[in-house]
Amino acid sequence: MAKLVAADKVNELDHYVFVARTRLDIKSAGLRDIIRKIMQDVHGICLYEEKPSVEQNLLYHYLTDLEECRQNPSAALDSSTLDYLDLLLDFIRAAYASTTERLGPHLEKHQITYDLLWTLFNKPNTLAHTKCFGTGQLRCVKYEFGEEKTANGGIKYFHVKARYLDFDGKVFGGTSSEYVIEIFCGAKQITTLEIFPLKYHRNEREVRAQLTECGQKFLSLMDVYLCEYKGKGFYIEKN
């Protein structure tokens, strides 16, 4: 049977063991191929090394996908890969049991604590709700990654990087944006955060419709037009 071993004992089992630190070193070729397929659209990680290393928190976000892969007969996994996948699933469930237990009651109330923010922003490419810096109007962005950082004054905050489509007068394409959620005490309503996953908005369907309409209007104006405009005029300088 496959088993989890200490890093200093992995050499002779290097062909099939994964090693748990703050990251997981994937030694099994079968597990590596599964993770590559599940996370193929994730930016910022390298899964094409022979023995890739993946953050444990990221694997927790993909627990459901791994479970579905385990139950999917069309995956055609061999017996050893199934054993290693079971081992990985058991490890993730055990390592994050207390996190899952704490998270459930908060989400039922549409609340989150600061230390659980990383669980809220789960999979990369998740649609997130925020506001335009200049107009204060609704904006939808794609979440890329988030991490806790510390400002010069020693104050901790959760830093979120995302992407959205924009037009600079010449090129239409993706551009990046960054957001800050300052440290807070107790539980906070998810919808009061500067940025949060769109699925937690109480009026998600209406907001999606509004954002889609605005996006279509934006696309229709990507040319030279003479228009009358009432509102704030602004531009954003790079950096």
Side-chain angles (χ1 to χ4, degrees), residues 35-235:
I35 292 172
R36 279 177 180 173
K37 183 176 181 179
I38 289 175
M39 300 185 184
Q40 60 184 332
D41 296 326
V42 178
H43 300 289
I45 62 173
C46 182
L47 296 175
Y48 286 92
E49 298 176 357
E50 183 180 353
K51 298 168 185 175
S53 179
V54 183
E55 289 187 10
Q56 286 190 33
N57 286 354
L58 188 58
L59 284 171
Y60 175 67
H61 292 321
Y62 283 87
L63 177 59
T64 300
D65 300 80
L66 291 169
E67 291 172 335
E68 290 176 354
C69 180
R70 177 65 176 84
Q71 300 301 322
N72 184 4
S74 65
L77 303 176
D78 58 58
S79 59
S80 60
T81 299
L82 286 173
D83 286 341
Y84 305 150
L85 181 54
D86 285 336
L87 177 63
L88 178 61
L89 288 169
D90 289 343
F91 170 77
I92 297 173
R93 293 187 191 111
Y96 292 92
S98 61
T99 299
T100 303
E101 184 178 0
R102 288 184 57 211
L103 184 61
H106 286 301
L107 293 184
E108 287 179 2
K109 298 179 181 179
H110 293 270
Q111 296 178 342
I112 198 69
T113 58
Y114 177 79
D115 65 312
L116 290 176
L117 276 176
W118 68 271
T119 66
L120 190 66
F121 295 94
N122 43 29
K123 294 181 181 179
N125 298 316
T126 296
L127 294 179
H129 174 285
T130 185
K131 292 183 179 180
C132 172
F133 293 117
T135 64
Q137 297 299 308
L138 300 183
R139 169 174 282 172
C140 184
V141 297
K142 276 191 174 183
Y143 166 78
E144 283 197 324
F145 68 86
E147 61 182 342
E148 186 179 60
K149 291 188 175 184
T150 303
N152 292 334
I155 299 175
K156 293 182 178 181
Y157 64 93
F158 192 75
H159 173 258
V160 175
K161 187 171 183 181
R163 295 188 65 80
Y164 64 96
L165 294 174
D166 201 3
F167 179 63
D168 64 1
K170 296 181 180 180
V171 179
F172 175 73
T175 187
S176 62
S177 56
E178 299 182 16
Y179 306 88
V180 170
I181 301 176
E182 295 182 355
I183 190 171
F184 56 88
C185 297
K188 194 170 185 178
Q189 287 294 316
I190 293 173
T191 53
T192 64
L193 299 173
E194 180 178 348
I195 181 172
F196 61 88
L198 182 59
K199 66 180 181 180
Y200 291 113
H201 200 291
R202 294 183 183 277
N203 300 312
E204 180 186 355
R205 181 177 298 180
E206 291 82 355
V207 170
R208 279 179 176 269
Q210 182 180 349
L211 288 167
T212 300
E213 182 181 352
C214 289
Q216 291 172 341
K217 184 175 182 179
F218 180 82
L219 290 173
S220 71
L221 293 172
M222 286 198 310
D223 205 335
V224 179
Y225 293 95
L226 181 62
C227 302
E228 182 178 1
Y229 176 79
K230 183 177 181 181
K232 293 182 179 179
F234 71 96
Y235 68 96

Side-chain angles (χ1 to χ4, degrees), residues 26-39:
I26 308 299
K27 307 298 183 180
S28 161
L31 282 183
R32 177 200 63 201
D33 293 342
I34 290 172
I35 292 172
R36 279 177 180 173
K37 183 176 181 179
I38 289 175
M39 300 185 184

